[in-house]
Amino acid sequence: AVHVSDIVEYWARFGRDEATGHWTHPDDRAVLAGQHSFNLDYPTCPYLGPVTSAKVVILGANGGYSPNETPDEFSDADAFERYLGRIRDPENADWSNVSPYYDRVNYGPLVYRGDAVWINASPYRSPRISAEPDNQRLIRLLPTSDFIRRWLIDVVVPLAARGERLVVVKRPGLWRLPLEVRTAVGLIVDPAPISPQLTSGPWQAVQDFLAGQGPASGAHPLGPQEAAVQ
């Protein structure tokens, strides 16, 4: 049986590769020997937020990298340990200062409070994936990306169907979700993938969902058969 905590157990194997000094998941090391421009100098993680309990699941692109901000986030050994601690125990972690990036986006407070989790199609860091074709290609080959995608489809999508999660697909291109998943109950695709903010439709659906109005029915126009069932 698959469990929502599988992603935490899987990512517990992430660490620093002694041979290269790179922070990678062991399953990815062979593929990451290929051509790409990901920055592997710092720890990273596919999830930001309490991944097993957060009610809102936002699907993003990949880990961010800024030559100015990222080194500041990992200014000392304690910062590395804090980050690794969040990876290993996301439910008891303090997510309130995870990255300055989240101070600038409308869903940042939801991550800080534990209402939302941001999940990347790939954790590996780069400045701007939309302008990095080698990195986009590599994401399709990474075993960890395959794992994250299967976890989403096998575990999270059924929770969304039962009204226990709302999934906002922010970067559909990198997730390559089948049509029946993209249009499933409890999933909503943000129409502006490149915008850093959640746009007004998805944002309202998130607010309504968290206010306890059940799954965002407006996010999924009913087909004739479903309308008949209702």
Side-chain angles (χ1 to χ4, degrees):
V2 286
H3 295 283
V4 72
S5 59
D6 289 356
I7 193 170
V8 180
E9 288 172 32
Y10 182 74
W11 212 254
R13 293 170 50 220
F14 172 85
R16 191 168 175 273
D17 179 0
E18 293 304 323
T20 60
H22 291 159
W23 289 90
T24 51
H25 192 286
D27 291 2
D28 287 338
R29 286 172 189 167
V31 175
L32 287 168
Q35 187 175 348
H36 66 83
S37 60
F38 289 119
N39 179 285
L40 306 174
D41 296 336
Y42 301 95
T44 188
C45 185
Y47 46 85
L48 288 148
V51 66
T52 62
S53 64
K55 298 298 181 202
V56 173
V57 178
I58 306 169
L59 304 185
N62 68 312
Y65 176 73
S66 152
N68 303 318
E69 282 188 357
T70 309
D72 284 350
E73 284 180 50
F74 294 95
S75 55
D76 56 29
D78 283 352
F80 281 81
E81 272 313 305
R82 267 199 308 278
Y83 196 99
L84 293 168
R86 283 194 285 247
I87 292 175
R88 293 178 192 132
D89 188 8
E91 294 312 310
N92 294 306
D94 174 9
W95 292 99
S96 63
N97 60 346
V98 64
S99 164
Y101 178 80
Y102 290 89
D103 294 338
R104 301 194 286 267
V105 290
N106 55 359
Y107 55 83
L110 303 182
V111 173
Y112 295 161
R113 298 205 285 271
D115 284 335
V117 58
W118 178 273
I119 300 182
N120 281 314
S122 172
Y124 297 113
R125 298 171 180 275
S126 73
R128 193 163 149 250
I129 192 76
S130 52
E132 298 157 358
D134 280 347
N135 294 348
Q136 292 174 34
R137 185 184 51 79
L138 207 76
I139 285 177
R140 293 198 284 272
L141 305 174
L142 288 168
T144 55
S145 291
D146 183 56
F147 177 91
I148 295 164
R149 197 163 158 273
R150 279 187 292 117
W151 171 83
L152 177 85
I153 292 170
D154 294 347
V155 179
V156 181
V157 170
L159 289 172
R162 297 204 299 270
E164 295 175 31
R165 297 287 188 280
L166 176 66
V167 180
V168 180
V169 188
K170 185 66 189 160
R171 299 298 291 269
L174 286 168
W175 281 86
R176 301 184 343 294
L177 298 172
L179 182 63
E180 67 271 15
V181 173
R182 288 201 310 276
T183 54
V185 172
L187 267 78
I188 183 167
V189 177
D190 192 309
I194 303 298
S195 164
Q197 311 292 338
L198 292 190
T199 52
S200 56
W203 180 245
Q204 190 58 53
V206 165
Q207 300 299 317
D208 293 347
F209 185 77
L210 290 173
Q213 297 180 7
S217 53
H220 176 61
L222 295 176
Q225 285 132 330
E226 289 165 275
V229 170
Q230 304 244 324

